Amino acid sequence: MTKPVSSVSVTAGDESVSLPIIKGTMGPDVIDIHALSSALGLLNYDPGFVGTASCESKITFIDGEKSLLLYRGYPIEELAERATFTEVAYLLLNEELPNVEQYRHFSQLLKKQSLLHEQIRNFFNGFRRDAHPMAILCGTVGALSAFYHEAVDISNEASRMLSAIRLIAKIPTIAAWAYKYTQGETFMYPRSEYSYSENLLYMMFATPMEPYVMNPVVARAIDRILILHADHEQNASTSTVRLAGSTGANPFACISAGIAALWGPAHGGANEAVLKMLDSIGRKENIPAFIEKVKDKNSGIRLMGFGHRVYKNFDPRAKIMQNACHDVLNELGITHEPLLELAMELEKIALEDPYFIERKLYPNVDFYSGIIFRALGIPSSMFTPLFAVARATGWISQWKEMIEGTQRINRPRQLYTGASLRHFTPISTRD
Ligand code: CMC
């Protein structure tokens, strides 16, 4: 833990306590509030964790005012433009970018581990054919803990790294098979000549009937999207993984908890929800009426793909995603994409509306990702599973960092507002 740079004094009644202020490398200073409870018997109340730094981390940094996102210090724009997803996965896990030999070795390990135990095939048959692929992903990644339980020793560094590599390598296979299962199609096995993203496409779309023709534009776009989603500091799903992991639970079970948290429409499920929203709006003429509904708090409707807890300016990933969207459509020779035009008009109208301006609501990563996924031929039910494939790298890096640090079990307290102490009465005497 970094040394305190100053302190703040808190007084409650006759008692005072000095709370240390700690400086990170970048970002706001934090107050270490441990002594609030031990010295003053007070708890910190912060529903939704709006002002809580839950841990110390060296992995990802966000400055929401400046639209800055760094993985291990590298700007997301540079990584999305120049790195491969495999390089980024190595960076998140190992703190540094790989050299040529490290990259070759890491890529080989991922390829070797990308196959699933044959018995895992049987799990898929237990799901209904119309199950959402996120349900299958959540269940099957959790089931990896049944295959790698005794084998995982979280106190051993090599075992932790092997678990991380297994997860990153196997999750594309599970996600692709989840899709194939819902389509009633043959599972396709990963091939060693393909890159990480190429394999994802191959396993989702190839069939045993004919050779698969890889489209490099689509594969590069998928790789870039995976990079954009790889990690994002202490978001809801990452915090879930850390919380589950803090109990010492099996890492695959912890990742399954993270997948569940990601699925919600306020988090990773937003990319699928954006497409549903655009489909329901249908035409540009319908946008003003839709915006009015969003602004009416009684409607329960939100502008999906807008707003973020940390970004109070543009989400840098949304900007890259929007540019990538245009590039991909150009490269694929798609000159007219009504959905993109609708989204751009919706964005323009929202950004000029005082409701969104006052609340600092800007497009987030999910606003454009669904459109690009659709242009790439990815079915909408797979948008969130692909987010999970990418984020698995961040989750497991954060899990490793937590286990390798001095983290205690994560155990929040509460503000209790229920009944005071009372005593049981037999049912016959109750009104
Ligand atoms: N549409 C309409 N109003 C909104 C929206 C939105 N998308 N987002 C926030 N607001 C309003 C909200 O009603 C509130 O207004 P008021 O102050 O009048 O009560 C104010 O803005 C603050 O919102 P909040 O819900 O307190 O903010 P939060 O930080 O708790 O929630 C959020 C962040 C991302 C859950 C929220 O902005 C949201 O629901 N957005 C839509 C879903 C979405 O796109 N999620 C993806 C997030 S980015 C990728 C990821 O995390 O996976």
Side-chain angles (χ1 to χ4, degrees), residues 48 50 229 232 235-237 262 264-271 274 294-295 297 301-312 315 317 355-356 359-361 364-367 387 391:
V50 178
H229 288 88
H232 211 228
N235 55 82
S237 56
L262 184 77
H267 193 3
N271 52 17
V274 167
V294 166
K295 286 156 48 178
K297 292 278 159 133
I301 296 175
R302 284 198 166 197
L303 177 50
M304 299 312 286
F306 256 69
H308 197 274
R309 173 62 63 77
V310 186
Y311 295 117
K312 298 304 165 198
D315 177 340
R317 302 167 301 171
Y355 175 95
F356 297 91
R359 290 169 179 78
K360 298 188 176 175
L361 301 172
N364 59 50
V365 68
D366 293 314
F367 193 69
F387 190 157
R391 188 56 60 83

Side-chain angles (χ1 to χ4, degrees), residues 7-300:
S7 64
V8 59
S9 180
V10 175
T11 305
D14 297 338
E15 304 280 343
S16 282
V17 66
S18 169
L19 302 176
I21 296 183
I22 302 162
K23 221 178 185 42
T25 327
M26 299 171 84
D29 297 346
V30 302
I31 305 174
D32 178 347
I33 57 150
H34 273 96
L36 271 186
S37 64
S38 55
L40 300 182
L42 291 173
L43 294 178
N44 177 49
Y45 180 57
D46 183 21
F49 309 123
V50 178
T52 295
S54 64
C55 64
E56 182 183 333
S57 180
K58 294 183 169 60
I59 302 177
T60 294
F61 176 76
I62 303 173
D63 184 328
E65 296 291 340
K66 293 188 186 144
S67 293
L68 186 66
L69 169 59
L70 311 176
Y71 292 167
R72 300 280 190 193
Y74 293 101
I76 190 66
E77 291 81 0
E78 290 176 25
L79 293 171
E81 184 62 33
R82 299 170 62 188
T84 65
F85 177 71
T86 304
E87 264 179 299
V88 169
Y90 185 98
L91 172 70
L92 290 172
L93 267 181
N94 296 288
E95 299 186 30
E96 296 297 337
L97 284 165
N99 62 26
V100 172
E101 181 47 32
Q102 288 164 333
Y103 185 73
R104 194 192 55 78
H105 181 61
F106 186 64
S107 304
Q108 271 178 358
L109 282 179
L110 288 181
K111 283 178 184 176
K112 208 170 127 201
Q113 289 292 343
S114 61
L115 288 167
L116 303 179
H117 190 295
E118 271 301 292
Q119 216 181 324
I120 291 178
R121 282 185 73 111
N122 300 335
F123 286 134
F124 288 86
N125 294 327
F127 290 98
R128 285 169 56 120
R129 287 277 175 193
D130 60 358
H132 194 287
M134 275 302 273
I136 303 180
L137 191 66
C138 191
T140 313
V141 170
L144 289 179
S145 59
F147 288 79
Y148 308 108
H149 187 62
E150 293 305 325
V152 175
D153 174 4
I154 64 169
S155 66
N156 177 291
E157 193 183 341
S159 176
R160 287 193 299 271
M161 185 54 96
L162 180 58
S163 299
I165 287 169
R166 278 188 172 132
L167 174 78
I168 298 169
K170 291 180 196 308
I171 196 166
T173 313
I174 299 175
W177 285 15
Y179 174 63
K180 284 291 197 192
Y181 181 76
T182 61
Q183 299 303 298
E185 289 181 14
T186 313
F187 294 155
M188 300 299 288
Y189 286 75
R191 297 187 62 91
S192 60
E193 73 263 32
Y194 287 142
S195 72
Y196 193 86
S197 298
E198 287 171 343
N199 253 321
L200 193 49
L201 286 169
Y202 172 80
M203 290 188 285
M204 280 177 68
F205 299 121
T207 69
M209 285 175 66
E210 55 203 0
Y212 181 70
V213 181
M214 187 64 66
N215 182 331
V217 172
V218 175
R220 175 63 191 135
I222 292 287
D223 211 59
R224 191 178 280 181
I225 295 173
L226 295 185
I227 292 172
L228 294 180
H229 288 88
D231 196 44
H232 211 228
E233 205 229 52
Q234 305 311 319
N235 55 82
S237 56
T238 303
S239 298
T240 302
V241 170
R242 278 190 179 253
L243 194 136
S246 76
T247 69
N250 180 290
F252 299 103
C254 299
I255 299 297
S256 170
I259 295 172
L262 184 77
W263 194 1
H267 193 3
N271 52 17
E272 191 179 346
V274 167
L275 260 251
K276 282 192 183 138
M277 174 187 77
L278 291 174
D279 284 339
S280 78
I281 296 173
R283 298 207 317 265
K284 285 185 187 174
E285 303 83 86
N286 299 334
I287 294 175
F290 176 75
I291 291 281
E292 285 314 306
K293 267 195 242 162
V294 166
K295 286 156 48 178
D296 172 8
K297 292 278 159 133
N298 297 321
S299 74

Side-chain angles (χ1 to χ4, degrees), residues 306-346:
F306 256 69
H308 197 274
R309 173 62 63 77
V310 186
Y311 295 117
K312 298 304 165 198
N313 202 327
F314 266 90
D315 177 340
R317 302 167 301 171
K319 278 229 160 119
I320 302 171
M321 202 67 91
Q322 191 192 27
N323 292 336
C325 220
H326 288 293
D327 291 352
V328 164
L329 292 175
N330 278 340
E331 285 168 16
L332 295 177
I334 304 171
T335 48
H336 173 61
E337 172 50 67
L339 212 60
L340 178 59
E341 286 160 21
L342 184 68
M344 287 173 65
E345 184 66 13
L346 181 58

